[in-house]
Amino acid sequence: MALDEATVRKIAKLARIKVPENEVPTLAEELSKIIEWIEQLNEVDTENVTPMTSMAEMVMPKRADKVTDGNYPDRVLSNAPNPEGPFYTVPKVIE
Amino acid sequence: MTYLIQGRTNDWEVVIGLEVHAQIISDAKLFSGAATSFGAEPNSQVSLVDAGMPGMLPVINEFCIQQAVRTGLGLDAKINLHSVFERKNYFYPDLPQGYQISQYLHPIVGEGMVRLDMPDGTREIGVERLHMEQDAGKSIHDQDPNRTFIDLNRSGVALMEIVSKPDLRSPEEAGAYLRKLRAIVQYLGTCDGNMEQGSLRCDANVSVRPSGSDELRTRAEIKNINSVRFVMQAIEYEAERQVDVYETGGSVVQETRLYDPDRGETRSMRSKEDAHDYRYFPDPDLLPIDLTPDFVEEIKKNLPELPDAKKVRFISEYGVTESDAGILVAEQETAKYFEEVALGRDAKLAANWVIHELFGVLNKVGKGISDSPIVADKLGNLVDLISNNVISSRIAKDVFEEMVAKGKDPGVIVEEKGLKQITDAGEIEIAVNNVIADNADQVKKFREGNQKLVGWFVGQVMKKTQGKANPQMVNELLLEKLKG
């Protein structure tokens, strides 16, 4: 499957990555090559094979319902670029 | 009682499905050890997992799994022993991970059913699925002209999304479904059902079709409606809007709309098409949830009595009417209160006092039954006083008002005010004789055939005894003497 330039622009937008227009053709070509390479997997017959969601042969570890974390708003906000009191702030979100 | 919208050429039927987000009752969040309580200081209940910091790994809260299974069982639903968490990818400032951990292809709960008691009979509404997911943080838009403030306390709190089949056919049914679902999760103790605080939120999928057709037309999704009344209003407005669109030759577009309660209308959010490209994939940080049948069985064994079963029992055990039973089981607290009043007493009388007198007072003072000014025990004492003929029902209303005002025991009020019913035949006879002697004209009219006057005589005797005479005895004695 080849990716066209419109698809590349859409993926970039969904991932919020800014792609200069002159790089779009190169990216389309490179991404297409990657997909083509992965598509070799289509040669394997996976009829009657259940999809694997994990490599680990184990039951998911679980936590008890206990409050063991939090209560450090200063740590949480320590990397925030522009905090206001106990809040993060971001440029106004227009609904 | 089919709900139809009259169009110009034909009638239209409404097709509604509801997606309900119910916040799971738990102490800690779904994937972190931070607390979940409402109203805490901003960003104080946030772990580095909830803040989406690099390198943090989610670990599931086992109790939340139990709560989801418990809810599934309460909805008579199929529990899927194998379910998978997936990432739903989208960017929003109150979603620090850049994706919501949710379930998509393999939810923890499959098809179930909610039964509605409508005026024209029982309706069974299918539940499509129930899955677990994380809540997002809160964006606050009104604190600053140029910035949005973000509080992540809610980020990572466990939610259940409960999706109905498109089986609802009127705003009333949608309202009844939402109320029933709320009652069920409250009975189960899996969600507090508080719509004002946002622990229960509702999206409504609405479409219309010509009456009699079974096609499913394009639907609009009305997002984030926060009261039962608004859900009903939003659906009513939206259905009529769509009929109008079709009848003026247009077509309904699939879109997200918002309900504006102030204007009573829905309007398009005009969100971009891209917004729905969530690129779900299994979350590599989490293993699938694999449950054993024993785990499910254990939860099933400990399910409480749910509203439908309780209603049936109230009718058979206490002999209350079906509609009274429906009112009494609508909220768990009410049912519990009623049973405390009714146990070992005249249950119909108890139901009457709870539904008519107590609810009247609660409505007037705007309180719920858990903050009732009269505790169940004392209302029970009042019912005893009536059943044992210590006071008449009329006097009981005065005693009840006094109980509301002063919080006193009914027995004490009756004692202090001397309200005991007069059941001494001799004493009543004196009052009856006096009334007859003082009203010769009326006695004459009665004897000439005006039978209705007996009520007037009863009233006079009651007046003479300050309402304390046993009305039945007064009636009997009066008839005897008048007919004399």
Side-chain angles (χ1 to χ4, degrees):
Chain A
M1 187 181 109
L3 284 187
D4 60 21
E5 293 184 11
T7 309
V8 170
R9 283 187 204 100
K10 188 184 171 197
I11 295 168
K13 193 175 165 202
L14 285 171
R16 302 293 191 275
I17 294 172
K18 194 172 185 177
V19 175
E21 197 47 41
N22 60 2
E23 287 180 22
V24 172
T26 328
L27 270 172
E29 199 187 320
E30 285 176 359
L31 287 171
S32 295
K33 278 183 185 162
I34 293 169
I35 286 173
E36 251 168 57
W37 184 72
I38 303 251
E39 273 176 345
Q40 288 180 67
L41 290 173
N42 288 344
E43 291 166 21
V44 183
D45 179 9
T46 55
E47 197 79 24
N48 303 320
V49 177
T50 35
M52 184 175 65
T53 42
S54 166
M55 299 277 288
E57 284 278 331
M58 57 187 285
V59 177
M60 177 156 64
K62 302 178 185 76
R63 225 163 17 85
D65 185 31
K66 295 257 162 56
V67 176
T68 55
D69 207 350
N71 219 3
Y72 41 72
D74 295 346
R75 262 181 90 195
V76 167
L77 290 167
S78 58
N79 292 312
N82 187 18
E84 180 72 46
F87 293 103
Y88 286 97
T89 72
V90 296
K92 189 102 174 167
V93 179
I94 298 138
E95 292 265 290
Chain B
M1 268 213 335
T2 319
Y3 180 85
L4 291 174
I5 297 171
Q6 274 189 354
R8 264 175 251 160
T9 50
N10 57 282
D11 287 345
W12 296 79
E13 185 178 57
V14 190
V15 180
I16 308 149
L18 295 186
E19 289 172 23
V20 173
H21 286 90
Q23 188 181 314
I24 293 178
I25 293 177
S26 65
D27 290 334
K29 293 182 179 180
L30 182 56
F31 295 114
S32 87
T36 58
S37 48
F38 181 80
E41 283 298 303
N43 287 310
S44 66
Q45 298 180 346
V46 181
S47 79
L48 299 180
V49 179
D50 310 318
M53 293 295 174
M56 296 294 116
L57 285 174
V59 181
I60 193 154
N61 181 336
E62 182 164 32
F63 182 64
C64 293
I65 301 177
Q66 288 175 21
Q67 292 285 62
V69 170
R70 201 172 153 81
T71 308
L73 292 170
L75 298 171
D76 259 329
K78 178 175 180 286
I79 306 301
N80 295 323
L81 296 179
H82 177 82
S83 67
V84 177
F85 282 109
E86 305 205 27
R87 291 185 181 178
K88 178 179 179 177
N89 297 281
Y90 66 94
F91 283 104
Y92 204 78
D94 56 25
L95 186 80
Q97 290 169 147
Y99 55 85
Q100 177 192 35
I101 304 177
S102 181
Q103 296 189 302
Y104 186 55
L105 295 177
H106 305 279
I108 188 160
V109 176
E111 292 185 335
M113 197 260 293
V114 172
R115 198 174 280 112
L116 307 182
D117 294 320
M118 302 307 291
D120 52 343
T122 304
R123 287 267 287 131
E124 293 184 349
I125 306 302
V127 169
E128 177 70 36
R129 59 186 276 154
L130 176 156
H131 69 253
M132 283 189 276
E133 60 187 27
Q134 301 174 295
D135 207 345
K138 202 167 111 195
S139 296
I140 302 151
H141 301 291
D142 57 3
Q143 298 289 306
D144 187 292
N146 303 312
R147 294 181 297 172
T148 294
F149 288 20
I150 310 287
D151 173 11
L152 296 181
N153 278 349
R154 216 176 54 192
S155 165
V157 168
L159 296 180
M160 299 178 279
E161 181 172 326
I162 305 165
V163 183
S164 87
K165 290 183 184 289
D167 287 350
L168 299 158
R169 292 289 175 274
S170 70
E172 287 70 30
E173 282 185 6
Y177 170 85
L178 197 53
R179 279 193 294 265
K180 187 63 173 283
L181 196 60
R182 183 172 59 186
I184 291 171
V185 293
Q186 285 175 333
Y187 269 68
L188 291 166
T190 55
C191 170
D192 68 24
N194 189 328
M195 294 191 80
E196 273 164 37
Q197 290 181 2
S199 342
L200 199 73
R201 313 193 279 272
C202 181
D203 302 343
N205 289 308
V206 180
S207 66
V208 297
R209 65 188 175 196
S211 167
S213 137
D214 58 3
E215 64 180 321
L216 284 177
R217 294 201 175 187
T218 307
R219 62 191 156 81
E221 183 179 22
I222 314 165
K223 278 271 187 201
N224 258 325
I225 325 173
N226 64 0
S227 87
V228 175
R229 194 161 54 94
F230 290 162
V231 168
M232 294 168 66
Q233 287 171 359
I235 291 168
E236 190 178 341
Y237 173 87
E238 177 60 20
E240 278 166 18
R241 185 192 71 86
Q242 291 184 14
V243 166
D244 213 48
V245 168
Y246 285 126
E247 294 206 324
T248 50
S251 56
V252 170
V253 284
Q254 183 159 352
E255 62 177 352
T256 304
R257 300 178 69 86
L258 271 186
Y259 179 64
D260 180 342
D262 295 331
R263 294 177 176 215
E265 62 181 31
T266 64
R267 58 169 182 269
S268 175
M269 285 178 75
R270 291 182 222 290
S271 46
K272 291 167 213 122
E273 288 160 42
D274 290 348
H276 287 293
D277 196 343
Y278 291 129
R279 294 151 293 143
Y280 281 98
F281 64 90
D283 192 316
D285 287 344
L286 290 159
L287 288 159
I289 305 177
D290 286 304
L291 306 174
T292 63
D294 285 352
F295 177 88
V296 177
E297 205 47 46
E298 194 56 33
I299 296 171
K300 201 173 198 167
K301 264 195 286 184
N302 293 310
L303 283 187
E305 183 182 40
L306 290 169
D308 288 341
K310 204 181 275 285
K311 185 177 168 186
V312 170
R313 182 169 66 78
F314 277 14
I315 295 169
S316 66
E317 199 173 311
Y318 295 110
V320 296
T321 63
E322 194 178 332
S323 80
D324 280 359
I327 296 168
L328 292 169
V329 304
E331 280 183 47
Q332 199 173 21
E333 286 294 322
T334 309
K336 190 168 152 246
Y337 187 102
F338 164 72
E339 283 206 270
E340 278 174 45
V341 178
L343 204 68
R345 300 197 174 96
D346 180 341
K348 282 188 185 168
L349 194 58
N352 226 354
W353 276 85
V354 171
I355 293 172
H356 298 292
E357 306 302 327
L358 185 69
F359 279 11
V361 165
L362 293 177
N363 278 340
K364 212 160 78 187
V365 298
K367 281 187 176 171
I369 198 148
S370 44
D371 313 311
S372 166
I374 300 177
V375 295
D377 197 33
K378 289 197 173 161
L379 188 58
N381 291 340
L382 183 67
V383 171
D384 281 339
L385 292 174
I386 305 166
S387 313
N388 299 335
N389 277 322
V390 178
I391 53 173
S392 66
S393 300
R394 229 218 32 76
I395 291 284
K397 294 197 179 177
D398 297 341
V399 175
F400 181 78
E401 274 179 27
E402 190 79 5
M403 289 166 75
V404 174
K406 306 245 171 76
K408 276 190 193 163
D409 197 87
V412 173
I413 296 170
V414 168
E415 214 45 66
E416 278 177 3
K417 300 210 154 188
L419 296 173
K420 257 193 195 154
Q421 182 161 249
I422 303 167
T423 50
D424 175 12
E427 204 176 322
I428 295 178
E429 194 172 357
I430 294 170
V432 168
N433 284 342
N434 282 340
V435 168
I436 289 180
D438 292 348
N439 297 286
D441 313 356
Q442 305 283 26
V443 175
K444 191 165 163 251
K445 281 187 197 159
F446 178 86
R447 289 187 177 149
E448 281 166 8
N450 190 346
Q451 300 280 328
K452 282 186 201 154
L453 272 174
V454 72
W456 181 84
F457 277 105
V458 172
Q460 294 303 306
V461 175
M462 295 310 274
K463 214 163 159 187
K464 271 214 157 26
T465 57
Q466 291 91 45
K468 291 184 286 183
N470 178 310
Q472 207 185 334
M473 290 175 74
V474 171
N475 226 340
E476 282 165 14
L477 264 172
L478 260 174
L479 282 175
E480 195 185 307
K481 302 255 172 191
L482 284 170
K483 284 178 180 161

